[in-house]
Structures are given as structure tokens and as C-alpha cells.
Amino acid sequence: MKIVFATNNQHKLSEVRATLGEGYEVVTLREVGITEDIPETGATLDENASIKARYVYERTGLNCFADDTGLEVEALGGAPGVHSARYATEGHDFAANNRKLLSELSGVENRRARFRTVISLIRDGVEQQVEGIVDGVIATVESGCEGFGYDPLFIPEGCEVTFAEMTADQKNAISHRGRAVAELVKLLKAE
Ligand code: ITT
């Protein structure tokens, strides 16, 4: 099945391609001629996932899906949440975001956090949403260099290492996005 993934994030693209496997031809925005950044003007992850998927569907008429992900930190009242990409600066500066997170949590004992991914699928014009969540804690120092974003600071529940210290397969097996994509596959397989 051919399907457009509405993202400009290459890390997400390779994670999703690996999780979906061979039955799906995942096409990029560039491959369907969309080179501009899709404005993420929603107030929630659900809204942004929907905005990105609809943007692609309206321009291409192709089956597509979009993911919006946020890191929700309990002691910060759920921040950075929907603002995760631009937490420290307007650019997607992963290192600056991680520095800011560590500084906001300096001296804070409650390190509980979760990643939440919402995926909006539009198939034959019909939109459906699924979600994936992984609970964990924010480490006090960055570790590992795999993955992207907040991965060097996020230790999933039941693990002793951060996502950035795991292989892509290990992360995908338990991550927010891996879980959301597993739900996406269920939707795609259901007629
Ligand atoms: P697209 O909108 O083009 O898909 P993006 O990078 O803007 O890409 P999101 O808005 O969904 O993606 O994600 C917001 C930020 O959350 C992202 O820039 C990362 O800093 C962080 N993030 C998302 N998924 C993550 C993951 O699996 N591991 C670590 N950080 C992640």
C-alpha cells in the first residue's frame, strides 16, 4: 500500500518505515511535491496531527498520515507538550531544548514524564486518529547518541538506559511512536 507520511523529520521517517515494514510504501512530502513547512497552528497534538494530514490530503488527494509528538513532564505541568519542537528556540534545536529541560528540572525530584504521539490517518477522505504513549523519567544528564530530540534524556519505565542508548529496533518496540504506528497498522488492516 502506498501512503504519504506528512513529516519533514528524517528520524521519524526511518522509525516509521522500520515499524511499518515491507507491506507499505511510505512516500515523503518531497516526493509528492510539498517542500514548504506545514504550519502547526493547533493548540494540541491532536489538532496538529490533523492539520498536517489534512494539508497533504487537500493538495494531493492521496492516502496519508501525520504524527505530532510531545514530551509531557509532570513537574512542568505537561510542558513542553505541544511546544516540544520549539521549547528553547524557534528552530528545531535539539541540544538547546535538552539544556533548557535540564535547567528547568534542576533540583526537581519528580522526574516523571511521558512521550505522547498522535497519528492522524486520512484514507479515502476519512480521518481517524490513534495514540501511543510511553511513560518514563527525565535523567539528570544526557546519555547516548542514537535517536533524536529528547532521547538522550528520556529513560522509559522499566529500563535503565535512555532511548538514545538503544538501537532503533529497541526504541521502536516500546516507544510512543512505535505504539502509535502499531495502532495505525490495525486501522490500515481493518476494512
Ligand atoms: P514534523 O512536524 O515535520 O513531523 P517535528 O520534528 O516538528 O517534525 P513534532 O512536532 O511531532 O515533530 O515533534 C516535536 C518535537 O518533539 C521534536 O522536534 C523533538 O524535539 C521531540 N520529539 C518527537 N519525537 C521524539 C522522539 O521519538 N524522541 C525524542 N524526541 C522527540
Side-chain angles (χ1 to χ4, degrees), residues 5-9 12 15 29 37-38 40 45 48 52 67-71 81-86 92 94 97 115 117 147-152 163 171 175-177:
F5 182 21
T7 186
N8 286 312
N9 182 321
K12 281 186 181 181
E15 284 185 9
L29 286 176
D37 267 340
I38 304 175
E40 292 181 40
L45 299 176
N48 278 338
K52 289 190 264 186
D67 124 9
D68 202 38
T69 295
L71 176 67
V82 73
H83 305 295
S84 293
R86 294 168 201 83
H92 291 48
F94 296 150
N97 286 342
F115 270 118
T117 290
F148 69 102
Y150 298 96
D151 282 345
F163 270 154
K171 178 183 172 190
S175 80
H176 44 299
R177 188 166 299 100

Side-chain angles (χ1 to χ4, degrees), residues 17 22 26 30 32 34 52 58 60 69 73 78 82 89 93 106 114 127-128 141-142 159-160 176 179 189-191:
R17 276 191 171 140
E22 288 187 352
V26 181
R30 194 166 289 278
V32 294
I34 297 176
K52 289 190 264 186
E58 278 161 17
T60 65
T69 295
V73 179
V82 73
T89 67
D93 185 337
S106 160
R114 65 179 194 173
E127 183 173 1
Q128 290 168 287
V141 288
E142 292 184 43
C159 299
E160 278 166 17
H176 44 299
R179 288 175 178 167
K189 285 191 173 151
E191 260 323 311

Side-chain angles (χ1 to χ4, degrees), residues 7-188:
T7 186
N8 286 312
N9 182 321
Q10 291 306 313
H11 301 278
K12 281 186 181 181
L13 184 65
S14 46
E15 284 185 9
V16 166
R17 276 191 171 140
T19 317
L20 275 178
E22 288 187 352
Y24 300 89
E25 186 194 345
V26 181
V27 177
T28 64
L29 286 176
R30 194 166 289 278
E31 283 168 324
V32 294
I34 297 176
T35 51
E36 67 277 19
D37 267 340
I38 304 175
E40 292 181 40
T41 51
T44 61
L45 299 176
D46 304 44
E47 280 175 28
N48 278 338
S50 186
I51 287 169
K52 289 190 264 186
R54 286 181 194 184
Y55 188 96
V56 173
Y57 188 74
E58 278 161 17
R59 278 157 187 80
T60 65
L62 298 169
N63 290 339
C64 59
F65 64 94
D67 124 9
D68 202 38
T69 295
L71 176 67
E72 300 172 341
V73 179
E74 197 172 277
L76 302 178
V82 73
H83 305 295
S84 293
R86 294 168 201 83
Y87 186 43
T89 67
E90 265 311 299
H92 291 48
D93 185 337
F94 296 150
N97 286 342
N98 284 332
R99 277 197 302 275
K100 177 166 176 182
L101 182 58
L102 280 180
S103 119
E104 296 284 323
L105 287 180
S106 160
V108 175
E109 230 171 80
N110 174 8
R111 318 285 298 188
R112 278 198 293 273
R114 65 179 194 173
F115 270 118
R116 194 158 72 88
T117 290
V118 176
I119 293 180
S120 251
L121 165 71
I122 302 184
R123 186 170 51 167
D124 302 329
V126 178
E127 183 173 1
Q128 290 168 287
Q129 281 196 333
V130 291
E131 184 184 71
I133 291 176
V134 61
D135 289 307
V137 292
I138 303 300
T140 50
V141 288
E142 292 184 43
S143 307
C145 44
E146 301 301 321
F148 69 102
Y150 298 96
D151 282 345
L153 285 177
F154 188 84
I155 303 175
E157 206 167 67
C159 299
E160 278 166 17
V161 294
T162 68
F163 270 154
E165 294 175 282
M166 296 182 184
T167 63
D169 284 350
Q170 286 168 334
K171 178 183 172 190
N172 280 336
I174 56 168
S175 80
H176 44 299
R177 188 166 299 100
R179 288 175 178 167
V181 172
E183 294 301 313
L184 173 70
V185 169
K186 285 187 201 161
L187 284 186
L188 290 170

